[in-house]
């Protein structure tokens, strides 16, 4: 059996090696390493895929979130509502800009923002909401956008884990994750569903004026060369990474289907096991399974993780300490936030390997190992 990885990037690369190598070689020969043709072409192709007017590439997903908040002219002291159950970058950039993170709880099934909790947390200082499409499940965007419109708030989608996901509105219309809020942000970190071979990110918007501001902020605040209208940053996707992403973007739906097939197999295998809650798939969210994250009940998570490791099965805990309980947010009163669902989930969740190259032998071994630990194998 091929060794099991959480994400097997080497096997994925092997399948597209000729195309990727040729694309990289083309960049090398052009010597257009920064803002080369591959960057613009990738942006245009991603715009078409997402059905959105503007894609602005940048250096990474964290930069994308920061640039979004800077482009919206959020000011020190402004409040930004966000989940605590997420990768730290979501809340980190809020604090970095001297804004105030306001942590709210998540839905216990989808792990995404609880819309009712969001509305309760709104104050006169609230300026934006940052929903996170966690693990590949799209947050419940229709009611969230309605709450935002009611209170005149911006919505910045953290779409680092759900690119390619779909959200279906009550009228039957469908939009891509990241293309619903005022700004969408994503990461092209190598392990993402659409990942490059280094760091990379992008912002999405349908607002022309906002797109112009984002481009300006991402490029030293320049409106024209050497004319700086606002304080900005230096954040760009390099041409080599764009070239890789151009090869992988046409394969994204195929990659998603492969991940969903693995998730289907896990779902079926664990369906009758009371010790496991499998990932929920809301009817209005097309889950793209960046992670396959289960909840454990009545089982020792750390012992399971060690047992799996002993049987050559990696497993990860995303995320063992929520943002509101991190030391970096103590001065924002982090631990005073009452987030019972978040606190409960962080003691129960564990993610199993899921990727585009997983074969039946690997999948069977993972399932057998989990069932063996939980004493759920037939005699």
């Amino acid at each position: 059996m091929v060794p099991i990885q959480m994400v097997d990037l080497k096997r994925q690369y092997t399948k597209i090696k000729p195309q990727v190598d040729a694309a990289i070689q083309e960049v090398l020969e052009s010597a257009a390493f920064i803002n080369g043709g591959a960057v613009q072409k990738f942006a245009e192709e991603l715009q078409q895929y997402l059905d959105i007017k503007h894609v602005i590439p940048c250096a990474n997903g964290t930069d994308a979130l920061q640039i979004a908040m800077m482009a919206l002219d959020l000011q020190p002291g402004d409040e930004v509502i966000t989940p605590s159950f997420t990768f730290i970058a979501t809340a980190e950039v809020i604090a970095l800009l001297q804004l105030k993170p306001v942590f709210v709880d998540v839905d216990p099934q989808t792990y995404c923002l609880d819309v009712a909790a969001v509305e309760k947390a709104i104050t006169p200082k609230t300026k934006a909401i940052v929903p996170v499409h966690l693990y590949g499940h799209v947050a419940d965007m229709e009611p969230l956008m309605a709450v935002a419109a009611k209170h005149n708030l911006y919505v910045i989608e953290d779409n680092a884990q759900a690119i390619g996901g779909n959200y279906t509105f009550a009228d039957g219309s469908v939009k891509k994750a990241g293309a619903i809020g005022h700004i969408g942000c994503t990461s092209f970190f190598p392990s993402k569903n659409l990942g490059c071979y280094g760091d990379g990110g992008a912002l999405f918007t349908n607002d022309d004026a906002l797109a112009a501001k984002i481009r300006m902020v991402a490029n030293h605040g320049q409106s024209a060369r050497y004319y700086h209208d606002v304080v900005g940053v230096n954040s760009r996707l390099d041409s080599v990474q764009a070239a890789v992403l151009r090869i992988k973007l046409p394969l994204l739906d195929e990659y998603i289907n492969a991940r969903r097939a693995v998730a289907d197999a896990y779902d079926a295998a664990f369906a009758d096991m009371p010790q496991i809650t499998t990932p929920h798939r809301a009817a209005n969210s097309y889950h793209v399974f960046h992670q396959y994250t289960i909840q454990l009940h009545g089982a020792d998570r750390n012992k399971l993780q060690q047992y799996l490791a002993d049987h050559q099965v990696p497993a990860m805990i995303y995320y063992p300490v929520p943002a509101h309980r991190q030391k970096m947010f103590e001065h924002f009163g982090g631990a005073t936030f009452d987030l019972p669902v978040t606190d409960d989930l962080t003691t129960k969740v564990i993610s199993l390997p899921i990727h585009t190259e997983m074969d039946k032998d690997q999948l069977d071994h993972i399932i057998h190992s989990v069932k063996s630990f939980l004493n759920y194998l037939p005699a």
Side-chain angles (χ1 to χ4, degrees):
M1 183 179 67
V2 176
I4 299 170
Q5 311 288 335
M6 286 298 290
V7 180
D8 197 335
L9 295 176
K10 187 171 183 178
R11 290 178 76 195
Q12 186 188 74
Y13 163 65
T14 300
K15 288 187 176 180
I16 55 175
K17 183 180 186 325
Q19 301 97 305
V20 169
D21 290 359
I24 292 175
Q25 187 62 37
E26 186 177 338
V27 173
L28 297 178
E29 291 176 358
S30 74
F33 303 120
I34 301 295
N35 290 328
V39 178
Q40 182 58 41
K41 289 175 183 175
F42 170 66
E44 292 169 356
E45 290 158 2
L46 189 54
Q47 283 167 198
Q48 184 175 4
Y49 177 83
L50 295 172
D51 190 22
I52 199 161
K53 289 179 72 175
H54 303 280
V55 168
I56 302 98
C58 65
N60 56 68
T62 307
D63 276 9
L65 290 164
Q66 178 180 334
I67 292 164
M69 294 177 197
M70 293 173 71
L72 292 171
D73 293 322
L74 302 187
Q75 299 298 310
D78 287 348
E79 294 179 357
V80 179
I81 294 173
T82 185
S84 175
F85 191 45
T86 178
F87 181 60
I88 200 67
T90 314
E92 181 182 37
V93 296
I94 298 171
L96 180 68
L97 295 172
Q98 299 182 54
L99 311 171
K100 181 181 178 181
V102 176
F103 298 111
V104 302
D105 223 338
V106 294
D107 180 274
Q109 290 186 303
T110 68
Y111 311 148
C112 299
L113 275 180
D114 180 325
V115 178
V118 168
E119 187 149 32
K120 288 179 182 177
I122 294 171
T123 75
K125 292 185 177 181
T126 306
K127 295 296 186 292
I129 305 168
V130 185
V132 179
H133 305 314
L134 198 69
Y135 302 146
H137 190 289
V138 186
D140 197 3
M141 292 301 295
E142 186 166 19
L144 192 62
M145 294 301 295
V147 168
K150 176 182 174 182
H151 296 276
N152 195 30
L153 306 176
Y154 295 113
V155 174
I156 304 167
E157 293 177 73
D158 184 338
N159 193 36
Q161 299 186 15
I163 193 161
N166 296 331
Y167 182 84
T168 303
F169 289 81
D171 63 3
S173 62
V174 178
K175 287 189 177 181
K176 289 289 186 187
I180 303 168
H182 298 90
I183 303 176
C185 301
T186 201
S187 165
F188 301 124
F189 187 79
S191 64
K192 302 301 185 187
N193 290 23
L194 179 62
C196 56
Y197 293 166
D199 272 320
L203 300 96
F204 324 130
T205 187
N206 280 310
D207 186 313
D208 295 343
L210 196 48
K213 185 71 173 293
I214 289 168
R215 287 191 175 92
M216 208 184 324
V217 170
N219 187 27
H220 299 289
Q222 291 186 115
S223 56
R225 190 168 178 82
Y226 301 126
Y227 289 82
H228 306 269
D229 295 359
V230 297
V231 173
V233 298
N234 175 27
S235 185
R236 51 204 175 198
L237 180 69
D238 74 66
S239 301
V240 169
Q241 304 307 333
V244 172
L245 290 165
R246 289 193 69 209
I247 300 301
K248 295 179 77 172
L249 178 57
L251 301 171
L252 178 55
D253 289 344
E254 178 183 323
Y255 289 162
I256 290 169
N257 290 338
R259 287 173 173 272
R260 285 174 59 88
V262 173
D264 290 345
Y266 281 143
D267 283 355
F270 304 141
D272 57 351
M273 298 179 63
Q275 303 102 317
I276 292 177
T277 296
T278 55
H280 181 69
R281 307 189 200 195
N284 57 7
S285 169
Y286 185 76
H287 202 315
V288 297
F289 287 99
H290 175 59
Q291 305 293 347
Y292 185 89
T293 304
I294 61 174
Q295 290 185 51
L296 290 179
H297 308 283
D300 189 308
R301 179 175 65 177
N302 292 336
K303 288 182 178 178
L304 171 61
Q305 189 178 33
Q306 185 58 57
Y307 180 88
L308 292 176
D310 291 342
H311 290 78
Q312 291 73 54
V313 177
M316 295 292 291
I317 299 170
Y318 307 109
Y319 301 93
V321 182
H324 76 290
R325 296 200 178 277
Q326 298 283 354
K327 186 176 181 179
M328 67 191 293
F329 293 119
E330 283 180 354
H331 65 290
F332 289 108
T336 64
F337 287 96
D338 183 25
L339 309 177
V341 175
T342 294
D343 284 331
D344 184 55
L345 288 173
T346 55
T347 68
K348 292 179 177 178
V349 296
I350 187 167
S351 299
L352 301 177
I354 188 166
H355 56 75
T356 57
E357 313 309 311
M358 190 173 289
D359 58 43
K360 186 177 186 301
D361 286 347
Q362 293 176 316
L363 193 52
D364 288 346
H365 179 68
I366 296 165
I367 291 168
H368 183 277
S369 299
V370 172
K371 287 190 169 184
S372 178
F373 175 81
L374 295 174
N375 299 312
Y376 210 88
L377 291 174

